Amino acid sequence: MNISKFVTPEIIFGKNSIKQAGEACLRLGAKKVLIVSDQGVAVAGWLDKVVNLCKESCLPFATYTDITIDPKDTEVINGCRSYIENECDAIIGVGGGSALDVAKAIAIVATNGGEIKDYEGIDKIVHPLPPMIMIMTTAGSGSEVSQFSVIVDSTRKKKMTIISKSLVPDIAIIDPLTLMTKDSSLTAATGMDVLTHAIEAYVSIAATPLTDVQAKNALSLVATYLRPSVASKTNEEAKEAMAMASLQAGLAFSNAILGAAHALSHAIGGRFPLPHGEINAILLPYVMDFNFIAAPKRFIDMADCMGIDTRAFTQKEAGNAAIQYVRELSADIGIPKQLREVGISQDMITSICQTALEDACMITNPRDMNLEQMKQLLHQVL
């Protein structure tokens, strides 16, 4: 067995852990920090919280919040300009995947130059990045611990996947109380993103025993706590469990990478501003069904993690049970079943598949997939 890497940031987890933001930044030697967030996080009050914590720590700061869902390269350019003009030397990201991915992208361009598209793919970053602290508020993307940043190329209309160990933050702060300001639809979509991370990491050809334990525990937590978390903003037990699930799924996929569901989701998200986790959830059962023959034993493991009694099942029956479990969970929390329900039409299939096949996540999908197979899969999802 060879494990070439298992990268992880320093992790600070627990209720009110966000209070350590300013002190953590000073500990990394920051003199002035750019706080990167978005308007939704600002409205929820978490941006002001971090700003005040920097003030209490006597840490000078600037803010950048011009970030949209599925953030674009232009937003990275503007953020980089703010970082340089304000003479910052560290970055705090506060929010979900969009804000955290932009924070990382700003760090890349500010210290390595060029454009963010120059870093698309694997290990293109040359120079060290500034200190980065990521504070997640969604329990979905896993960006607070991952070596990923996903940014939309506004010219090519595609999501660029940037993968590098340099993108692993120095410190990840995970405060479950930040999840109590999310509405039910966002909780559902981000929770299904966590599930997709765990499943794709567990069947990835780059999975290792270190990623497996993270992925399986994340699966069990999602199976137990996603429904209660969607049902109530104030269920602290469910919020804490989903925060841990997001963390562990993030560690799993950061090191094992992902698969075809994310490759297709990136291709769709580059064209349409749709919730990433929702698209993943629609695609996931179909991709699982396609991938089953590549790792049937692993589908039994996943069914077990979901609480399914597989003792009398064949491998195929257990795999089908796991896939059906994902469908039922999605239905229970209001996720659409088909892509046509979110505006995707038949004439878009070929271009979506051509883009998806070039995505870095396809490298670790457990089963080879060609253009015709991917088109056939998408026809089923429509």
Side-chain angles (χ1 to χ4, degrees), residues 307-358:
I308 300 167
D309 185 353
T310 62
R311 288 174 294 180
F313 285 3
T314 64
Q315 288 185 334
K316 184 60 177 172
E317 288 170 341
N320 286 338
I323 294 167
Q324 183 59 25
Y325 184 92
V326 172
R327 295 186 196 279
E328 290 175 0
L329 176 58
S330 287
D332 286 351
I333 60 176
I335 298 289
K337 293 180 180 177
Q338 307 289 148
L339 286 176
R340 61 175 176 271
E341 297 177 51
V342 295
I344 307 300
S345 56
Q346 194 163 342
D347 61 312
M348 303 171 185
I349 286 181
T350 298
S351 62
I352 288 172
C353 292
Q354 288 170 336
T355 302
L357 285 172
E358 297 174 355

Side-chain angles (χ1 to χ4, degrees), residues 126-328:
V126 175
H127 302 297
L129 303 188
M132 294 191 293
I133 294 177
M134 297 296 157
I135 303 170
M136 77 87 198
T137 63
T138 61
S141 75
S143 187
E144 68 275 12
V145 295
S146 82
Q147 55 176 332
F148 279 63
S149 174
V150 181
I151 302 294
V152 173
D153 184 322
S154 54
T155 302
R156 292 182 291 165
K157 305 294 184 189
K158 67 168 289 191
K159 282 189 172 182
M160 299 177 286
T161 302
I162 302 161
I163 306 174
S164 170
K165 284 183 282 190
S166 298
L167 290 177
V168 176
D170 295 278
I171 298 176
I173 296 177
I174 298 132
D175 186 337
L177 296 182
T178 63
L179 306 183
M180 299 176 77
T181 53
K182 292 168 55 184
D183 63 27
S184 60
S185 62
L186 181 58
T187 302
T190 53
M192 290 305 290
D193 197 19
V194 173
L195 181 69
T196 310
H197 291 158
I199 288 175
E200 293 214 288
Y202 192 64
V203 300
S204 163
I205 61 170
T208 71
L210 293 180
T211 61
D212 286 349
V213 67
Q214 306 292 340
K216 290 170 72 174
N217 201 51
L219 265 173
S220 296
L221 288 171
V222 171
T224 305
Y225 289 103
L226 180 53
R227 288 182 178 91
S229 185
V230 171
S232 170
K233 278 187 174 182
T234 57
N235 185 333
E236 289 192 20
E237 180 183 1
K239 301 304 178 191
E240 188 168 57
M242 285 307 300
M244 180 57 72
S246 176
L247 165 61
Q248 294 198 283
L251 291 172
F253 90 77
S254 177
N255 291 282
I257 318 298
L258 294 160
H262 269 82
L264 282 162
S265 182
H266 291 161
I268 293 169
R271 292 169 172 78
F272 309 100
L274 299 168
H276 171 69
E278 192 170 285
I279 300 303
N280 276 340
I282 296 171
L283 293 165
L284 182 59
Y286 297 91
V287 172
M288 291 173 70
D289 186 51
F290 178 84
N291 283 339
F292 171 76
I293 64 168
K297 171 65 172 64
R298 292 205 157 231
F299 276 70
I300 297 176
D301 297 340
M302 292 193 294
D304 290 339
C305 291
M306 294 168 181
I308 300 167
D309 185 353
T310 62
R311 288 174 294 180
F313 285 3
T314 64
Q315 288 185 334
K316 184 60 177 172
E317 288 170 341
N320 286 338
I323 294 167
Q324 183 59 25
Y325 184 92
V326 172
R327 295 186 196 279
E328 290 175 0

Side-chain angles (χ1 to χ4, degrees), residues 4-235:
S4 61
K5 63 175 181 179
F6 186 84
V7 291
T8 177
E10 175 183 336
I11 295 167
I12 302 173
F13 183 99
K15 297 172 185 175
N16 294 311
S17 58
I18 195 172
K19 291 181 178 179
Q20 299 187 43
E23 182 276 332
C25 218
L26 289 175
R27 185 153 50 86
L28 295 174
K31 304 299 182 189
K32 186 173 184 179
V33 64
L34 181 68
I35 304 172
V36 180
S37 190
D38 61 42
Q39 288 301 315
V41 176
V43 170
W46 299 114
L47 176 59
D48 280 348
K49 178 77 173 178
V50 174
V51 163
N52 290 330
L53 289 165
C54 288
K55 290 178 179 176
E56 291 172 11
S57 298
C58 299
L59 175 63
F61 64 89
T63 60
Y64 177 69
T65 60
D66 189 13
I67 296 172
T68 60
I69 182 175
D70 295 323
K72 300 166 188 62
D73 45 9
T74 52
E75 296 162 33
V76 175
I77 293 170
N78 293 334
C80 186
R81 185 178 300 124
S82 179
Y83 179 91
I84 293 170
E85 289 178 353
N86 285 286
E87 299 181 333
C88 296
D89 61 1
I91 291 180
I92 298 179
V94 188
S98 296
L100 303 194
D101 283 358
V102 170
K104 293 179 179 180
I106 291 170
I108 295 171
V109 179
T111 52
N112 283 261
E115 301 176 69
I116 193 61
K117 67 181 181 182
D118 299 335
Y119 304 95
E120 182 180 8
I122 300 173
D123 289 337
K124 301 286 183 65
I125 299 170
V126 175
H127 302 297
L129 303 188
M132 294 191 293
I133 294 177
M134 297 296 157
I135 303 170
M136 77 87 198
T137 63
T138 61
S141 75
S143 187
E144 68 275 12
V145 295
S146 82
Q147 55 176 332
F148 279 63
S149 174
V150 181
I151 302 294
V152 173
D153 184 322
S154 54
T155 302
R156 292 182 291 165
K157 305 294 184 189
K158 67 168 289 191
K159 282 189 172 182
M160 299 177 286
T161 302
I162 302 161
I163 306 174
S164 170
K165 284 183 282 190
S166 298
L167 290 177
V168 176
D170 295 278
I171 298 176
I173 296 177
I174 298 132
D175 186 337
L177 296 182
T178 63
L179 306 183
M180 299 176 77
T181 53
K182 292 168 55 184
D183 63 27
S184 60
S185 62
L186 181 58
T187 302
T190 53
M192 290 305 290
D193 197 19
V194 173
L195 181 69
T196 310
H197 291 158
I199 288 175
E200 293 214 288
Y202 192 64
V203 300
S204 163
I205 61 170
T208 71
L210 293 180
T211 61
D212 286 349
V213 67
Q214 306 292 340
K216 290 170 72 174
N217 201 51
L219 265 173
S220 296
L221 288 171
V222 171
T224 305
Y225 289 103
L226 180 53
R227 288 182 178 91
S229 185
V230 171
S232 170
K233 278 187 174 182
T234 57
N235 185 333

